[in-house]
Amino acid sequence: GQQLNQSPQSMFIQEGEDVSMNCTSSSIFNTWLWYKQDPGEGPVLLIALYKAGELTSNGRLTAQFGITRKDSFLNISASIPSDVGIYFCAVGTYKYIFGTGTRLKVLA
Amino acid sequence: EAQVTQNPRYLITVTGKKLTVTCSQNMNHEYMSWYRQDPGLGLRQIYYSMNVEVTDKGDVPEGYKVSRKEKRNFPLILESPSPNQTSLYFCASSLGGGEYGYTFGSGTRLTVV
């Protein structure tokens, strides 16, 4: 089946640093979404992107819908300890595909 | 409070013993879906439902059944569980399909021995 590849797979960062991660696909998608999963919980929607080239912010989070419609990027500014978790990109309407995830660990 | 409720949270069972994981949402959402999450494989869709009595297979439907007799409920049925179905399962619902984002339950950790 189709795959969404996320990088990096995991990262350790210092509190206060900015974080960047991306998600790529071999197919074109018209909507990209980003979720965060806290330990022991289900994913929670962070940002949805509906237009190629679109840049959308949610607090310290900024996501971009790649112009080719085959990728998306998520940036977290000034990271804090509660940013720890797994970040997933996702695409689809009925059939839904999640990326492989980026595990973020923040060192205080 | 708007939520998706799964039960049970934890379940240990033996191979071949039929089980049902319940899922209920109180948001009047039309779309519901089941996922399994495994280390290194991420979240994979098992089945989804677009409305009452309308269901379809996701990426990994083998060994699972679902039913959607009421809008709010979407149970996942394992007729004859096997150890390779040991996983963390999530139910989710959405008002307008995945493009508008899913609300997830807290998960069911299933162990089949």
Side-chain angles (χ1 to χ4, degrees):
Chain A
Q2 292 179 340
Q3 279 191 316
L4 299 180
N5 296 311
Q6 287 186 243
S7 66
Q9 275 190 327
S10 64
M11 53 196 313
F12 285 85
I13 59 167
Q14 292 285 340
E15 183 177 357
E17 287 185 350
D18 296 344
V19 175
S20 292
M21 61 189 78
N22 65 25
C23 183
T24 61
S25 167
S26 57
S27 302
I28 289 173
F29 291 99
N30 293 321
T31 305
W32 288 79
L33 296 97
W34 285 91
Y35 289 82
K36 182 195 176 195
Q37 184 179 26
D38 289 328
E41 298 295 330
V44 173
L45 180 67
L46 297 174
I47 291 178
L49 300 158
Y50 298 108
K51 188 177 178 182
E54 178 183 12
L55 198 68
T56 298
S57 293
N58 178 6
R60 293 179 295 105
L61 277 60
T62 301
Q64 184 163 22
F65 189 155
I67 197 72
T68 65
R69 293 188 285 161
K70 290 185 176 181
D71 55 13
S72 181
F73 307 87
L74 179 69
N75 296 309
I76 306 173
S77 62
S79 58
I80 58 178
S82 62
D83 289 334
V84 68
I86 307 175
Y87 292 80
F88 292 100
C89 56
V91 295
T93 303
Y94 310 122
K95 284 213 163 188
Y96 214 52
I97 306 167
F98 278 88
T100 48
T102 293
R103 186 180 296 270
L104 181 63
K105 300 185 182 181
V106 181
L107 305 173
Chain B
E1 181 190 352
Q3 59 185 357
V4 176
T5 303
Q6 294 178 231
N7 280 298
R9 283 295 301 267
Y10 302 92
L11 178 60
I12 301 175
T13 190
V14 296
T15 299
K17 185 176 181 182
K18 180 179 178 180
L19 67 90
T20 299
V21 183
T22 63
C23 174
S24 179
Q25 50 95 3
N26 63 0
M27 296 167 280
N28 201 35
H29 284 173
E30 291 192 349
Y31 298 86
M32 297 187 75
S33 189
W34 276 101
Y35 301 85
R36 61 177 289 173
Q37 185 174 24
D38 302 290
L41 297 176
L43 287 145
R44 294 178 293 168
Q45 192 177 40
I46 303 171
Y47 270 95
Y48 60 93
S49 170
M50 291 169 280
N51 213 327
V52 175
E53 303 290 4
V54 181
T55 63
D56 206 348
K57 298 176 181 178
D59 284 332
V60 288
E62 295 78 20
Y64 304 95
K65 283 176 57 177
V66 293
S67 68
R68 187 96 182 271
K69 293 182 169 42
E70 305 166 280
K71 198 171 188 178
R72 63 184 292 124
N73 295 324
F74 191 43
L76 179 70
I77 302 156
L78 284 71
E79 295 269 4
S80 183
S82 62
N84 65 12
Q85 292 178 299
T86 293
S87 187
L88 179 58
Y89 291 87
F90 289 101
C91 179
S93 73
S94 173
L95 181 62
E99 293 171 330
Y100 298 94
Y102 275 97
T103 300
F104 281 79
S106 297
T108 295
R109 186 166 291 282
L110 173 65
T111 302
V112 184
V113 298

